[in-house]
C-alpha cells in the first residue's frame, strides 16, 4: 500500500483526510478544509492542505475539475479510491488489534 | 498593503511552476478562509514552510518529483554551497591562526601544526576538485551562451562581476594602505582601518554568496550529458569529503591551541590565563558544522540518485 499511495499511513495524514473528504464528492480547497474539520476535528493549515493536494494530484489519486468562480474543485480518482480503501483497511486492522488487546470486542474476527 | 498584495507576497515562497498551476485557486481559498481578516503569523508561517518545501521538491533537493539526473545536479549544487560557506569560514580561521606556531610552546606545537597543515592540504585538494568540476562544464556553458541563454542569467552574473570588481579594488587599496601602517595600527590600533577591513570582509562574503547564486543559476540551466554529470558528482563528493576533513582538522587545531596557548586565541599577553572559547571561533565552528552538514546532505542526495538510476537500469 505504501508505494501505491505514496506512503499514506497515519490516521491524521492530510492526504488520507483529503481522500476521505473527496470520497463523498468533489470539493474545492475551502470546502475540503471545512469538511475535514467537521468529520476529523483536524484543522489543516493552508500550506499543509495545498501541499497535500499537490502531492495527491502528482500521484494521480485526485484530479482537478474545471474552475468554478475562481475555485477549483477536485475529485477522487479510481486509484485514489483504491488507495483510500487500502489505507482504511490498514487502519481498521490496527484499530481492531488495539481493541482486542484492550479486552474489547473487535468489529471483525482476528 | 492590500489583502491581494499580501497574498501575492505570500505566494512568492512557492516556485514559479507551482504558482502558475495553483496561485489563482489558492488565493481564492485564502480569501474564503480568512473572510477579509488579516492572516495570522502562524498562517503565514504555514504558507512559507509549504512554499519552501515545494521549492525543495522543485529543485530536486527532496523527494522523487525530479529525475535522477536533476537530483544528482541538485546534490552537487548543495555541495557547492557547502564549499562556499567553508571558503568564508576557512578564511576567517586562517586570519585567526596567523602566527599561532610562534605562540605555542615548542613541545606542544606539532599537533596543532599537523592539524593546520591538514586544513591547508584539504583546502587545496577541494579547490582542485572545484576547478576540475568547473572546467568540464565549460563546453556546455558555451553552448548555453550561444543558444541565447545569456539573457536569463545576465542580471545575476553582472551583479556578481560588479561585486568581485568592488572587492578586488577594495582589497588592493587596503593592502596598499596597510603597507604604510604599523603592526599595532593594523591589529586594532587604528579604528578607521579596522572598520574598513570589516566592511570589505562583509563585501567579500557577499561576493562569495552572489557568485554561488550565479553558479547555481547557470548550472541549473545547462544541458549536461549523463557522463559529465557523473564526473561532476564524483568531484562534488570529493569536495564534500574535504569539507568534512577541514572541519575535523579545524576542531583538532582549536583544541590543541586552546589547551596549550589559550592566550593566543584571546589576543592576551603570552602566558596569561584565558578562555579558549572566542566569538569568532564559535562563528567559524558553527559555519564549518553547517557546511559539513550541507556537504553530507549533498552526498546523500547524489547517492540516492545513483540508487534510483541503478534500480531503473535493473528494471530495464
Amino acid at each position: 500500500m505504501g508505494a501505491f499511495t505514496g506512503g499514506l499511513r497515519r490516521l491524521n495524514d492530510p492526504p488520507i483526510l483529503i481522500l476521505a473528504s473527496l470520497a463523498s464528492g468533489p470539493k474545492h480547497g475551502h470546502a475540503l478544509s471545512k469538511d475535514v474539520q467537521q468529520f476529523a476535528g483536524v484543522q489543516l493549515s493552508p500550506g499543509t492542505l495545498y501541499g497535500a493536494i499537490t502531492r495527491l494530484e502528482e500521484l494521480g489519486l485526485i484530479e482537478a475539475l474545471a474552475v468554478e468562480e475562481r475555485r477549483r474543485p477536485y475529485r477522487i480518482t479510481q486509484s485514489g479510491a483504491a488507495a483510500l480503501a487500502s489505507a482504511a483497511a490498514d487502519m481498521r486492522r490496527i484499530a481492531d488489534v488495539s481493541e482486542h488487546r484492550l479486552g474489547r470486542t473487535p468489529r471483525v474476527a482476528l | 498593503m492590500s489583502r491581494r498584495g499580501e497574498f501575492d507576497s505570500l505566494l512568492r515562497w512557492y516556485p514559479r511552476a507551482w504558482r502558475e498551476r495553483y496561485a489563482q485557486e489558492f488565493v481564492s481559498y485564502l480569501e474564503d478562509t480568512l473572510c477579509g481578516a488579516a492572516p495570522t503569523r502562524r498562517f503565514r508561517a504555514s504558507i512559507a514552510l509549504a512554499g519552501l518545501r515545494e521549492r525543495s521538491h522543485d529543485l530536486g533537493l527532496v523527494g522523487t518529483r525530479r529525475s535522477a539526473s536533476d537530483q544528482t545536479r541538485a546534490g552537487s549544487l548543495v555541495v557547492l554551497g557547502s564549499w562556499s560557506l567553508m571558503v568564508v569560514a576557512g578564511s576567517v580561521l586562517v586570519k585567526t591562526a596567523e602566527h599561532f606556531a610562534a605562540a605555542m610552546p615548542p613541545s606542544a606545537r606539532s599537533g596543532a601544526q599537523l592539524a593546520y597543515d591538514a586544513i591547508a592540504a584539504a583546502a587545496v585538494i577541494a579547490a582542485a576538485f572545484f576547478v576540475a568540476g568547473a572546467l568540464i562544464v565549460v563546453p556546455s556553458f558555451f553552448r548555453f551562451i550561444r543558444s541565447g541563454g545569456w539573457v536569463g542569467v545576465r542580471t545575476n552574473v553582472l551583479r556578481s562581476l560588479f561585486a568581485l570588481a568592488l572587492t578586488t579594488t577594495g582589497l588592493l587599496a587596503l593592502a596598499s594602505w596597510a603597507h604604510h601602517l604599523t603592526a599595532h595600527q593594523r591589529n586594532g590600533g587604528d579604528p578607521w582601518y579596522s572598520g574598513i577591513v570589516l566592511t570589505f570582509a562583509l563585501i567579500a562574503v557577499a561576493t562569495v554568496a552572489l557568485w554561488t547564486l550565479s553558479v547555481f543559476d547557470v548550472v541549473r540551466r545547462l544541458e549536461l550529458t549523463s557522463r559529465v554529470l557523473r564526473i561532476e558528482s564524483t568531484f562534488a563528493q570529493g569536495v564534500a569529503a574535504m569539507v568534512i576533513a577541514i572541519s575535523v582538522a579545524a576542531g583538532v587545531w582549536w583544541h590543541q591551541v586552546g589547551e596549550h596557548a589559550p592566550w593566543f586565541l584571546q589576543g592576551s599577553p603570552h602566558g596569561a590565563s584565558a578562555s579558549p572559547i572566542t566569538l569568532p571561533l564559535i562563528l567559524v565552528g558553527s559555519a564549518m558544522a553547517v557546511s559539513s552538514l550541507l556537504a553530507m546532505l549533498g552526498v546523500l542526495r547524489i547517492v540516492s540518485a545513483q540508487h534510483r538510476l541503478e534500480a531503473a537500469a535493473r528494471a530495464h
Side-chain angles (χ1 to χ4, degrees):
Chain A
M1 190 271 293
F4 181 54
T5 61
L8 313 184
R9 277 216 174 265
R10 289 179 296 124
L11 182 63
N12 62 347
D13 197 358
I16 289 189
L17 296 174
I18 290 170
L19 288 177
S21 174
L22 293 181
S24 68
K27 290 178 194 70
H28 56 73
H30 183 58
L32 258 171
S33 175
K34 272 175 38 181
D35 186 44
V36 167
Q37 164 88 53
Q38 205 167 20
F39 77 77
V42 174
Q43 177 68 59
L44 295 175
S45 67
T48 305
L49 175 70
Y50 265 84
I53 287 177
T54 307
R55 189 170 149 213
L56 289 168
E57 200 183 4
E58 276 172 9
L59 290 165
L61 303 182
I62 62 171
E63 63 188 2
L65 300 174
V67 173
E68 295 169 358
E69 295 174 4
R70 296 178 61 234
R71 296 177 183 89
R72 187 185 291 282
Y74 289 88
R75 77 169 162 220
I76 193 166
T77 62
Q78 279 191 345
S79 309
L84 180 62
S86 173
D90 273 4
M91 289 186 285
R92 193 176 305 116
R93 200 162 39 247
I94 293 168
D96 287 343
V97 168
S98 304
E99 290 199 327
H100 176 70
R101 290 181 179 177
L102 287 168
R104 296 170 190 166
T105 314
R107 279 174 292 171
V108 293
L110 291 170
Chain B
M1 194 192 289
S2 71
R3 201 63 80 221
R4 177 70 212 210
E6 208 169 358
F7 293 156
D8 284 343
S9 75
L10 283 172
L11 276 168
R12 284 198 207 107
W13 288 101
Y14 287 88
R16 182 176 297 169
W18 192 94
R19 291 199 301 262
E20 282 168 4
R21 166 66 185 80
Y22 293 101
Q24 190 193 31
E25 62 183 276
F26 190 55
V27 167
S28 86
Y29 158 75
L30 294 177
E31 285 168 350
D32 286 346
T33 305
L34 291 167
C35 302
T40 61
R41 199 173 291 171
R42 196 170 171 181
F43 199 89
R44 289 165 181 282
S46 151
I47 293 172
L49 280 175
L52 290 176
R53 199 162 48 233
E54 284 302 325
R55 278 188 185 274
S56 304
H57 278 286
D58 197 54
L59 293 170
L61 294 173
V62 295
T64 52
R65 184 185 294 171
R66 303 300 296 258
S67 68
S69 300
D70 286 345
Q71 197 177 316
T72 305
R73 194 184 305 227
S76 302
L77 287 175
V78 170
V79 173
L80 169 69
S82 87
W83 173 239
S84 296
L85 185 58
M86 182 53 85
V87 166
V88 172
S91 304
V92 177
L93 182 75
V94 167
K95 183 70 189 152
T96 308
E98 257 180 354
H99 313 303
F100 79 92
M104 294 196 65
S107 58
R109 200 174 288 161
S110 62
Q113 188 63 54
L114 195 64
Y116 191 79
D117 292 345
I119 292 171
V124 169
I125 296 169
F129 279 135
F130 178 79
V131 171
L135 287 177
I136 62 162
V137 298
V138 165
S140 309
F141 177 69
F142 281 122
R143 275 197 301 277
F144 168 71
I145 296 296
R146 274 201 301 272
S147 63
W150 170 245
V151 179
V153 297
R154 184 175 51 197
T155 310
N156 272 346
V157 174
L158 288 180
R159 198 161 39 200
S160 306
L161 281 170
F162 174 73
L164 182 65
L166 185 67
T167 305
T168 311
T169 312
L171 289 178
L172 288 174
L174 271 176
S176 160
W177 184 12
H179 213 64
H180 301 290
L181 299 177
T182 63
H184 170 70
Q185 286 174 314
R186 283 198 305 272
N187 290 290
D190 183 338
W192 278 104
Y193 179 78
S194 303
I196 291 174
V197 165
L198 183 65
T199 305
F200 270 95
L202 293 175
I203 293 174
V205 170
T207 304
V208 172
L210 285 173
W211 272 109
T212 306
L213 290 176
S214 291
V215 173
F216 275 24
D217 196 22
V218 171
V219 172
R220 278 181 57 207
R221 296 162 192 250
L222 294 183
E223 293 281 341
L224 300 176
T225 64
S226 56
R227 185 170 161 272
V228 168
L229 208 52
R230 200 171 52 245
I231 299 171
E232 198 68 67
S233 68
T234 307
F235 286 144
Q237 290 177 73
V239 171
M242 292 306 112
V243 162
I244 294 165
I246 291 172
S247 298
V248 172
V252 172
W253 178 87
W254 189 2
H255 176 262
Q256 287 290 310
V257 178
E259 190 164 292
H260 301 291
W263 54 86
F264 170 79
L265 299 175
Q266 291 286 3
S268 311
H270 189 93
S273 169
S275 163
I277 297 166
T278 66
L279 182 62
L281 281 175
I282 289 173
L283 293 177
V284 165
S286 306
M288 286 187 171
V290 172
S291 171
S292 299
L293 191 66
L294 284 175
M296 284 188 260
L297 289 175
V299 170
L300 282 177
R301 203 65 192 144
I302 292 168
V303 170
S304 138
Q306 283 168 348
H307 286 164
R308 271 180 79 189
L309 286 171
E310 283 164 15
R314 272 199 302 276
H316 279 291

